[in-house]
């Protein structure tokens, strides 16, 4: 690995100043499970590595039913799974975080890093897209908030500008009968890169099982994670029956733009998008019916 | 370029002040700077778990962490497992069950097992297998390792050796996977 300079600022201000001073020569370090591999392989060669884990604001999970969730960019995946609010209110995002790698990896890897790394197959990004998450960024020109849908531009490329840093992910509080789910297909039991990943979030009117809100996120079936807008829209106002789920699954398949690669063919991936869309919708619906959170 | 920095940390209960380059992984620092060569280098990509150490109670691949990130942390390596000449019960049970052949993966397995038993002294077989899933062994086929950890948990709790022989069925991943496996959704 090439020589680097390491800084571990204790405040967001300090981190922003450091990153601004070094621009493209700097890279934030969170769990390091992607960055250290990239440094070793020489695919990223920052001169300055800015460790963001010492910044209290970035290292915390803050949740209330009034204000929703603020998930710090440096929170390790294992802390999400160990958090009762996360398991209760965002089970889909929690299961996505708990699917990434081994316990060794989950002890370090972060949802923020998963997003900023920009992999089309990131497990937590479709779950974030389904929840309508927003990313709070801080940089030399100040702060801005951007939707996670659209955050990734191409494999390994995101909207982050040189010197800009992900501070936290913001997710609205769930409605009374709302929940989410994430499933991925891999050819093994555990610890692999998604061939297809699907996240779904639903809010229901349980008096007649009508869908109030629906969002479906797709992973590993395009150059970036995908928000399946038509599929999501098709559910809103409808009773969540088999026909509605089938229609949404077909529209989700149509939204996917997969390629053939070593993990699977485009044709197989399209098929799996349909299967996982049906399943995640069914699981999210079951959870949403059981939820009673206000 | 040798822009070395001072790192103050705690390793196996002892405060340690060391000098390393920021580019050095914790694994390199342990092995090359501190000459604690029990932690092994396998894949250098976080896949094999041979370099596993326990940091503030959690298992971590020391190849995927910079040495400078150890500042202020409490680190346990394989060298901290035995008390002098007296083996840790996990080490003893690995020997009794012949849970190793070439031995390269063993320190990592022991540290993952220690992190598990420290948090969960009475794990199920499925929990043991899940907790050891980040460690690869190409010799043993894993069963003897799982038995050793089961025996160690029983010994630490003052119980006898439990019956063996159940292997959990294949399950889909995660909480949603559990719902699928239970037939709660189709």
């Amino acid at each position: 690995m090439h020589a680097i300079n390491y800084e571990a600022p204790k405040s967001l201000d300090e981190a922003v100043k450091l990153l601004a001073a070094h621009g493209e020569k700097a890279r934030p370090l969170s769990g390091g499970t992607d960055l250290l591999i990239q440094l070793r392989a020489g695919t990223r060669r920052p001169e300055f590595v800015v460790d963001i884990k010492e910044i209290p604001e970035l290292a915390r999970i803050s949740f209330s039913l009034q204000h929703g969730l603020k998930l710090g960019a440096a929170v390790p995946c294992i802390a999400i799974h160990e958090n009762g609010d996360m398991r209760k209110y965002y089970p889909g995002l929690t299961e996505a975080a708990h699917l990434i790698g081994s316990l060794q990896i989950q002890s370090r890897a972060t949802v923020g890093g998963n997003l900023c790394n920009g992999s089309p197959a990131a497990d937590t990004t479709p779950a974030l897209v389904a929840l309508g998450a927003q990313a709070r960024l801080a940089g030399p020109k100040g702060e801005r908030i951007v939707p996670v849908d659209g955050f990734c531009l191409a494999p390994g490329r995101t909207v982050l500008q040189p010197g800009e840093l992900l501070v936290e992910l913001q997710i609205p509080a769930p409605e009374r009968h709302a929940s989410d789910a994430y499933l991925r297909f891999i050819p093994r039991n555990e610890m692999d890169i998604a061939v297809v990943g699907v996240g779904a979030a639903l809010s229901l009117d349980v008096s007649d099982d009508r869908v109030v809100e629906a969002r479906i996120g797709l992973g590993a079936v395009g150059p970036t994670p995908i928000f399946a807008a038509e599929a999501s829209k098709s559910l809103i106002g409808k009773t969540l029956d088999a026909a509605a789920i089938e229609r949404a699954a077909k529209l989700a398949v149509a939204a996917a733009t997969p390629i053939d690669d070593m993990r699977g063919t485009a044709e197989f991936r399209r098929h799996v998008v349909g299967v996982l869309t049906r399943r995640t919708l069914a699981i999210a619906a079951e959870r949403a019916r059981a939820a009673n959170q206000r | 370029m040798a822009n070395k920095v001072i790192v103050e940390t705690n390793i196996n209960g002892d405060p340690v002040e060391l000098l390393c380059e920021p580019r050095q992984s914790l694994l390199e620092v342990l092995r090359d700077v501190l000459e604690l060569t029990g932690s092994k280098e396998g894949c250098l990509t976080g896949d094999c778990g041979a370099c596993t150490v326990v940091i503030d109670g959690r298992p971590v691949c020391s190849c995927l962490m910079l040495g400078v990130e150890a500042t202020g942390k409490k680190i346990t390596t394989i060298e901290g497992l035995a008390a002098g000449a007296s083996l840790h019960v996990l080490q003893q049970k690995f020997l009794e069950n012949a849970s190793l052949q070439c031995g390269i993966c063993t320190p990592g397995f022991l540290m993952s097992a220690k992190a598990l038993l420290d948090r969960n002294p009475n794990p199920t077989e499925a929990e043991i297998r899940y907790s050891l899933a980040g460690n690869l062994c190409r010799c043993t086929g894993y069963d003897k390792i799982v038995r050793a950890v089961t025996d160690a948990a029983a010994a630490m709790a003052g119980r006898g050796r439990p019956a063996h022989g159940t292997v959990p069925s294949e399950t889909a991943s995660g909480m949603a996977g559990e719902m699928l496996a239970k037939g709660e959704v189709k």
Side-chain angles (χ1 to χ4, degrees):
Chain A
M1 192 192 293
H2 69 283
I4 54 170
N5 296 283
Y6 170 87
E7 303 280 355
K10 303 267 194 240
S11 73
L12 184 54
D13 270 0
E14 212 185 320
V16 167
K17 285 198 184 93
L18 275 167
L19 288 166
H22 301 300
E24 286 180 5
K25 292 180 184 163
R27 185 86 185 159
L29 167 68
S30 187
T33 53
D34 286 312
L35 183 60
L36 258 71
I37 291 170
Q38 291 159 358
L39 291 175
R40 212 168 262 139
T43 52
R44 286 194 200 274
R45 299 185 60 84
E47 289 173 29
F48 294 84
V49 167
V50 179
D51 188 346
I52 59 170
K53 294 188 289 295
E54 303 291 318
I55 307 168
E57 205 175 348
L58 272 65
R60 70 176 173 225
I61 299 174
S62 141
F63 174 80
S64 73
L65 277 173
Q66 288 73 45
H67 301 110
L69 174 69
K70 291 187 167 72
L71 175 62
V75 174
C77 288
I78 197 76
I80 292 172
H81 186 253
E82 288 175 356
N83 184 292
D85 286 332
M86 293 298 301
R87 288 199 305 274
K88 180 174 178 186
Y89 296 110
Y90 306 103
L93 176 58
T94 303
E95 63 204 351
H98 202 44
L99 282 178
I100 296 178
S102 59
L103 287 181
Q104 286 97 317
I105 300 300
Q106 288 172 27
S107 296
R108 300 283 295 170
T110 64
V111 172
N114 203 207
L115 178 63
C116 294
N117 188 51
S119 164
D123 280 305
T124 53
T125 310
L128 291 172
V129 167
L131 287 167
Q134 310 248 46
R136 179 182 155 208
L137 312 179
K141 292 178 195 158
E143 293 208 2
R144 60 181 178 135
I145 290 179
V146 300
V148 168
D149 171 28
F151 186 91
C152 297
L153 302 174
R157 233 160 44 78
T158 69
V159 298
L160 283 169
Q161 296 298 304
E164 207 171 28
L165 162 78
L166 174 67
V167 177
E168 66 192 12
L169 294 155
Q170 302 177 343
I171 301 179
E175 295 301 321
R176 181 167 190 163
H177 295 289
S179 196
D180 66 332
Y182 176 80
L183 287 172
R184 70 172 178 196
F185 177 85
I186 54 173
R188 318 166 32 168
N189 279 356
E190 296 284 354
M191 289 196 289
D192 204 349
I193 294 169
V195 178
V196 177
V198 177
L202 286 173
S203 170
L204 300 178
D205 179 343
V206 289
S207 63
D208 54 2
D209 211 32
R210 215 166 278 273
V211 178
V212 179
E213 264 183 62
R215 289 181 63 92
I216 299 166
L218 311 177
V221 289
T224 66
I226 293 167
F227 170 51
E230 293 302 314
S232 306
K233 209 167 66 185
S234 79
L235 290 164
I236 295 169
K238 304 287 189 321
T239 302
L240 198 67
D241 55 17
I245 287 180
E246 191 52 45
R247 193 167 48 241
K250 282 214 171 74
L251 288 166
V253 170
T257 56
I259 54 167
D260 294 330
D261 69 9
M262 58 190 272
R263 296 184 202 288
T265 63
E267 185 191 2
F268 176 68
R269 283 182 153 118
R270 276 193 206 95
H271 173 72
V272 176
V273 167
V275 173
L276 295 187
T277 301
R278 285 192 290 272
R279 288 181 184 173
T280 48
L281 284 172
I283 293 166
E286 184 165 326
R287 289 173 176 169
R289 288 181 198 116
N292 190 3
Q293 38 219 11
R294 280 172 190 240
Chain B
M1 186 161 96
N3 56 338
K4 289 196 175 176
V5 293
I6 297 169
V7 175
E8 287 179 46
T9 183
N10 184 300
I11 298 179
N12 299 327
D14 296 325
V16 173
E17 195 179 278
L18 61 91
L19 206 56
C20 72
E21 290 180 58
R23 63 164 196 89
Q24 287 182 295
S25 69
L26 176 62
L27 178 64
E28 284 175 78
V29 169
L30 291 172
R31 291 182 57 87
D32 302 342
V33 178
L34 300 174
E35 298 185 350
L36 293 171
T37 55
S39 303
K40 301 306 180 196
E41 178 183 310
C43 63
L44 287 183
T45 50
D47 293 293
C48 79
C51 65
T52 302
V53 298
V54 178
I55 301 184
D56 295 339
R58 298 194 189 285
V60 167
C61 291
S62 58
C63 76
L64 286 190
M65 175 171 163
L66 296 173
V68 285
E69 290 181 83
T71 302
K73 301 279 190 288
K74 279 193 164 54
I75 300 173
T76 309
T77 70
I78 187 66
E79 287 85 354
L81 205 53
S86 167
L87 292 180
H88 188 279
V89 61
L90 274 165
Q91 293 170 307
Q92 191 60 45
K93 295 300 176 189
F94 266 61
L95 284 174
E96 287 172 14
N97 283 281
S99 305
L100 62 149
Q101 289 178 34
C102 86
I104 278 281
C105 70
T106 312
F109 268 101
L110 285 165
M111 298 319 290
S112 284
K114 178 174 165 38
L116 167 66
L117 295 186
D118 285 350
R119 275 175 185 270
N120 178 1
N122 189 20
T124 63
E125 182 174 335
E127 286 168 338
I128 292 171
R129 287 181 183 272
Y130 186 88
S131 298
L132 299 180
N135 295 79
L136 299 183
C137 172
R138 301 292 79 173
C139 306
T140 63
Y142 301 102
D143 278 350
K144 292 175 173 183
I145 294 173
V146 173
R147 269 175 230 162
V149 179
T150 310
D151 282 3
M156 288 160 83
R159 298 191 304 270
R161 183 182 177 137
H164 290 300
T166 52
V167 176
S169 61
E170 290 191 1
T171 55
S173 300
M175 290 186 288
E178 283 162 24
M179 292 177 74
L180 280 173
K182 285 185 211 148
E184 288 168 11
V185 288
K186 300 251 160 18

